Amino acid sequence: MSLNAFRLEGGGRPFRPRNEPVTGYVHSVETGGTVDGPGWRFVVFTAGCPLRCLYCHNPDICVKTSGTKREVSQVLEEIAGYQSFLKRTGGGVTISGGEPLAQPEFVTALLEGCKALGLHTALDTSGYSVIPVGQRLLDATDLVLLDLKSHDPFIFRRVTGVSHLPSFEFAKRLSDMGKPMWIRFVLVPELTDARRNVGNLADFVATLNGVERVEVLPFHKMGEEKWDSIGRKYELHETPEPTPEEAEAVRAIFRSRGLTVY
């Protein structure tokens, strides 16, 4: 089925791709996502990321060309096949990565196409971008899953290799818009778990408008073998995974600021 002739369910204007096709690099898609936004999600994993997080579980897609070059219309064709089901389950489409903001034109067109299909959209991002994020991209995003790595700038750089400023400025911009956010924080023993770091991050998050929930994600080593396979040293080999009690103690810090925490 060609999207040139595709119409929204229940009528409405047709979605028509641009005359010049917009392309981007896609690593993979997941048609049954249940953790990257509300309801059942169609998740598009873009390739390429400017961060080099020590605990990254997909280090093999940090380079953009590790993905497959695809036209927006091709991806939307695939998404359209799940349109009815996604709507029935209260779900939608999540653009993840890699770092989606590394391909702003592609992601903007993809999000706008999903909105034209009447689908809920979510952006899973670190908030880090070397260029200003366009307003069209944010306008086409219903929910931002924002991964804040650390409040302490030295820990942030240690974790990611980049400055914390773009991510925190992005968070403030979303707050000014009142954009719905789910904040994510990866708890890594001996790295991000310092009580001052967690407390200061909780204080910052509590100042933001639109935060619907905070997710404390315990560090895991499921991507360790991928680091070996691409010839990169995995620096957290000796780092223990947090205990349930340690994770709950960090959740309690966020809850003490009046935040809804998972």
Side-chain angles (χ1 to χ4, degrees), residues 57 219-225 234 236-241:
H57 57 274
F219 161 70
H220 62 73
K221 300 181 183 179
M222 287 191 291
E224 185 172 1
E225 291 184 358
Y234 188 70
L236 302 183
H237 178 72
E238 301 296 332
T239 301
E241 297 182 359

Side-chain angles (χ1 to χ4, degrees), residues 43-142:
V43 186
V44 179
F45 295 94
T46 59
C49 181
L51 281 65
R52 294 295 181 265
C53 296
L54 295 179
Y55 48 69
C56 180
H57 57 274
N58 287 315
D60 52 320
I61 68 172
C62 285
V63 178
K64 185 169 65 174
T65 52
S66 64
T68 301
K69 192 173 185 179
R70 300 188 66 183
E71 294 183 9
V72 167
S73 59
Q74 294 173 327
V75 181
L76 291 174
E77 287 274 6
E78 191 171 354
I79 292 171
Y82 296 86
Q83 181 187 22
S84 296
F85 179 73
L86 295 173
K87 287 185 175 181
R88 286 200 305 271
T89 63
V93 178
T94 299
I95 313 301
S96 186
E99 172 49 67
L101 298 183
Q103 299 189 64
E105 183 183 12
F106 177 71
V107 170
T108 298
L110 190 54
L111 288 167
E112 290 180 339
C114 290
K115 293 305 295 179
L117 293 174
L119 294 171
H120 178 276
T121 57
L123 180 71
D124 183 7
T125 177
S126 69
Y128 185 90
S129 178
V130 295
I131 59 175
V133 177
Q135 189 60 39
R136 280 177 49 200
L137 187 153
L138 297 181
D139 288 342
T141 302
D142 294 314

Side-chain angles (χ1 to χ4, degrees), residues 55 147-160 162-169 171-172 183-186 191-208 253-254 257:
Y55 48 69
D147 185 2
L148 293 178
K149 314 291 183 176
S150 167
H151 186 273
D152 183 295
F154 297 101
I155 297 175
F156 194 103
R157 186 173 289 276
R158 166 72 176 133
V159 170
T160 67
V162 300
S163 168
H164 69 293
L165 291 175
S167 294
F168 280 78
E169 290 170 357
K172 292 176 183 177
I183 302 297
R184 291 173 160 179
F185 171 67
V186 180
L191 184 59
T192 68
D193 63 338
R195 287 300 180 263
R196 176 177 292 184
N197 182 46
V198 175
N200 288 342
L201 182 60
D203 289 339
F204 172 75
V205 173
T207 69
L208 301 175
I253 294 174
F254 283 97
R257 273 61 170 184

